[in-house]
Amino acid sequence: MSKEELEKIRTKFETKYADNISKGLYDSRDLECMRNEDTFLQTFIRNDIPAEDLLHESFKWRNEIKLRDLTEDSFDRWIWEKGAVFFHSKDKDGHRIMNIVVRHHKKDVQVLPSIKKFFAYAVEQAFLEDSTSRIVVMFDMSETGLANLDMELIKYVITCFKFYYPTFLAYMLIYEMPWIFNAAWKVIKAWLSADAVKFIKFVTKSDVQEYINREELLEHMGGLDKFEYKYPIENGNGDRPIENNHSSSLTNRKKVTFADQDSRLYKSISNDSISLDTNSNATLKKDISNHKTSPKTKKHNRDENSFIGKLLTISPAEELEFTIDDNGKESYDIISLTNTLPYSIAYKVKTTSPEKYRVRPSSGLVRSGSCTEVNVYLQTGYSSTIIKDKFLIMAMEVTDDSAENIGNLWKMVSKENIMEHRLRCIQISSDTDIVDHTDLNLTSDQRLVKISKQLDVLQNNTVILQDRIKWLIRSQFFLFVVIVIMLAVIIICFKDEFDRRYTPCSPSLF
């Protein structure tokens, strides 16, 4: 990227977040790097999220946890000795491998803040050592159970590489994931875009060497490397995060990008006016309450991916599903639009076949930190012709919330300032959908929270069951010992009685 383009990013950031800078919400050392080091700035350039917004998210987080002031002595010795996170070895492309040994971590809300800081410190030290190359994160899930599952920590790891180190991750390897974690994986997928999911590789002992040479692979994974983590480590060969400072001679870096889809022609939905998001949820709930379709057509609790765009997070990521009712009733699906940015986003929904669908609301505003849901109804008589239909979701930044100004802004805004995402339509069988009616009014984020809580309950029940099994084993062992002792006593007693009764008397002496 040219010097001029980098200066534009700096100017956008300084202008957009001037209030935060004046209030001291960022570390001055981070601001200095952003202003003076081109390669540091380039590590925040992605295709799906504006660089100035990534800088804001990262700088705010770094200042909140005082990342630049953390040292090895900031953490208790047990965190280092446990060896749950350490750098060792490289993959076939030369990427450093961050090993996360999941069996060494147990979910504990009291120590979780320290664990999060330790993970951030480890990534930061690797970033400072060489920010121009990417790393591989290896989740070693061998010998793990539900007691080791921590959804909040997993979400934190994903957030770190999405916002705070947006171009630093090459890919993730999930080694030997137990089948019992399948439900958790479905929740994790919902936090990721369809493209981001492709960067997560599930491997076992039989195929992990597709990514790591046998000489570089740890012995328990079928490799030849006999390395065992021990603390303290006196050498500086990358077996744990090494303290360093920002290098002034940073070079060009590689980056992870999620390519935008090709543009196509779409038609606007007719007879729908622009409405603010404050009315969107009310309209949606009214439509749902008045809709008389079969409960089987309401698929709000299905597992979904989310497309994480530069302006909005859109769920579902790829497909709108319509269940065709035998009685000819309308079918519908819901598009959830979530805004995680610090300003409002205007949206508009278009389709290739406006005569087939009713969309409520088809356009409006999603305020910062909120979620708006768009109801898409398939009208009767079109069930057999939806396979080629597609929907286009358009989004743009706004500074004025009035509906009139938003309408005019859509006419004037340039194409490069509009985020676009496309969904295709599919027809599914009505007998495959089972709906929890308590989820009908929940947003996608609320459903994820509910699933996460259910996993926590399952995890706690599993721990209780494991404790009961241990108690049962101890009880059985104790009972076995008691029975053996009783049998021994009975045998001894019967032996004495047998000897007394049946032992012949000594002959008399005359």
Side-chain angles (χ1 to χ4, degrees), residues 447-463:
R447 290 194 293 274
L448 287 177
V449 171
K450 181 177 179 180
I451 294 174
S452 181
K453 289 180 179 178
Q454 291 172 342
L455 285 172
D456 288 340
V457 172
L458 178 60
Q459 177 180 332
N460 293 333
N461 291 339
T462 302
V463 172

Side-chain angles (χ1 to χ4, degrees), residues 315-379:
S315 179
E318 299 176 349
E319 299 173 340
L320 289 176
E321 300 177 355
F322 297 94
T323 305
I324 309 306
D325 190 273
D326 294 336
N327 298 322
K329 297 179 180 179
E330 284 185 335
S331 175
Y332 73 94
D333 203 349
I334 289 177
I335 303 173
S336 296
L337 306 175
T338 303
N339 180 8
T340 60
L341 299 177
Y343 45 83
S344 298
I345 300 296
Y347 73 90
K348 183 184 294 186
V349 180
K350 296 183 178 182
T351 182
T352 54
S353 303
E355 72 280 0
K356 300 180 185 178
Y357 302 93
R358 291 187 296 110
V359 180
R360 299 291 187 273
S362 66
S363 58
L365 194 70
V366 187
R367 299 187 188 278
S368 175
S370 67
C371 176
T372 294
E373 294 189 334
V374 178
N375 226 26
V376 180
Y377 294 93
L378 172 64
Q379 301 187 70

Side-chain angles (χ1 to χ4, degrees), residues 101-359:
V101 187
V102 180
R103 66 177 176 274
H104 291 332
H105 173 74
K106 297 291 179 67
K107 184 175 181 179
D108 188 337
V109 294
Q110 294 182 344
V111 302
L112 184 59
S114 297
I115 299 299
K116 287 181 175 180
K117 278 190 177 183
F118 182 76
F119 175 81
Y121 173 78
V123 177
E124 174 70 2
Q125 298 310 310
F127 181 78
L128 295 180
E129 183 181 350
D130 184 3
S131 64
T132 62
S133 63
R134 294 177 289 170
I135 65 172
V136 173
V137 176
M138 163 81 82
F139 281 92
D140 182 357
M141 303 191 70
S142 57
E143 302 178 20
T144 58
L146 281 177
N148 307 113
L149 178 63
D150 192 338
M151 297 297 289
E152 185 175 350
L153 181 59
I154 294 173
K155 189 171 185 178
Y156 178 79
V157 171
I158 293 172
T159 301
C160 280
F161 287 111
K162 177 185 174 184
F163 292 111
Y164 311 147
Y165 300 92
T167 61
F168 197 45
L169 178 67
Y171 56 88
M172 288 185 181
L173 291 178
I174 312 297
Y175 177 77
E176 296 285 3
M177 186 182 79
W179 65 267
I180 200 170
F181 287 162
N182 287 339
W185 168 239
K186 291 181 180 180
V187 177
I188 295 169
K189 283 179 65 177
W191 298 335
L192 305 170
S193 67
D195 288 327
V197 171
K198 298 176 183 177
F199 285 84
I200 299 179
K201 318 292 184 181
F202 291 87
V203 294
T204 63
K205 194 171 185 178
S206 62
D207 59 6
V208 66
Q209 293 184 37
E210 294 180 12
Y211 300 93
I212 305 173
N213 290 323
R214 191 180 182 191
E215 294 75 16
E216 299 276 353
L217 191 62
L218 295 177
E219 196 171 28
H220 78 277
M221 297 181 181
L224 301 177
D225 190 350
K226 299 181 181 296
F227 170 82
E228 292 184 6
Y229 177 90
K230 291 182 181 179
Y231 182 81
I233 295 177
E234 298 180 355
N235 61 62
N237 295 328
D239 294 336
R240 68 172 175 83
I242 301 173
E243 303 221 20
N244 205 338
N245 295 315
H246 272 290
S247 171
S248 59
S249 59
L250 298 175
T251 57
N252 292 332
R253 55 107 184 104
K254 299 178 181 178
K255 64 179 181 179
V256 178
T257 60
F258 302 120
D260 294 332
Q261 300 178 29
D262 295 334
S263 60
R264 292 188 177 90
L265 295 178
Y266 282 78
K267 302 175 184 178
S268 299
I269 306 292
S270 58
N271 302 323
D272 284 315
S273 59
I274 294 178
S275 60
L276 299 181
D277 70 318
T278 52
N279 299 323
S280 298
N281 288 331
T283 304
L284 173 63
K285 292 178 180 178
K286 181 178 179 181
D287 284 342
I288 291 178
S289 62
N290 294 334
H291 199 55
K292 301 302 182 180
T293 57
S294 168
K296 290 185 178 181
T297 65
K298 300 177 181 179
K299 303 172 288 299
H300 308 290
N301 67 329
R302 73 177 189 264
D303 296 319
E304 297 174 338
N305 280 340
S306 295
F307 169 79
I308 304 177
K310 63 182 181 180
L311 298 180
L312 291 175
T313 298
I314 301 173
S315 179
E318 299 176 349
E319 299 173 340
L320 289 176
E321 300 177 355
F322 297 94
T323 305
I324 309 306
D325 190 273
D326 294 336
N327 298 322
K329 297 179 180 179
E330 284 185 335
S331 175
Y332 73 94
D333 203 349
I334 289 177
I335 303 173
S336 296
L337 306 175
T338 303
N339 180 8
T340 60
L341 299 177
Y343 45 83
S344 298
I345 300 296
Y347 73 90
K348 183 184 294 186
V349 180
K350 296 183 178 182
T351 182
T352 54
S353 303
E355 72 280 0
K356 300 180 185 178
Y357 302 93
R358 291 187 296 110
V359 180

Side-chain angles (χ1 to χ4, degrees), residues 375-420:
N375 226 26
V376 180
Y377 294 93
L378 172 64
Q379 301 187 70
T380 58
Y382 293 104
S383 60
S384 61
T385 60
I386 70 171
I387 191 65
K388 295 183 179 180
D389 295 346
K390 294 179 177 63
F391 278 79
L392 172 67
I393 295 93
M394 305 169 64
M396 67 175 177
E397 300 178 20
V398 294
T399 55
D400 192 333
D401 293 350
S402 68
E404 181 179 354
N405 289 337
I406 294 174
N408 294 330
L409 187 58
W410 279 114
K411 301 176 182 178
M412 298 183 295
V413 65
S414 60
K415 185 174 179 60
E416 57 267 20
N417 292 328
I418 298 177
M419 184 198 92
E420 295 184 352

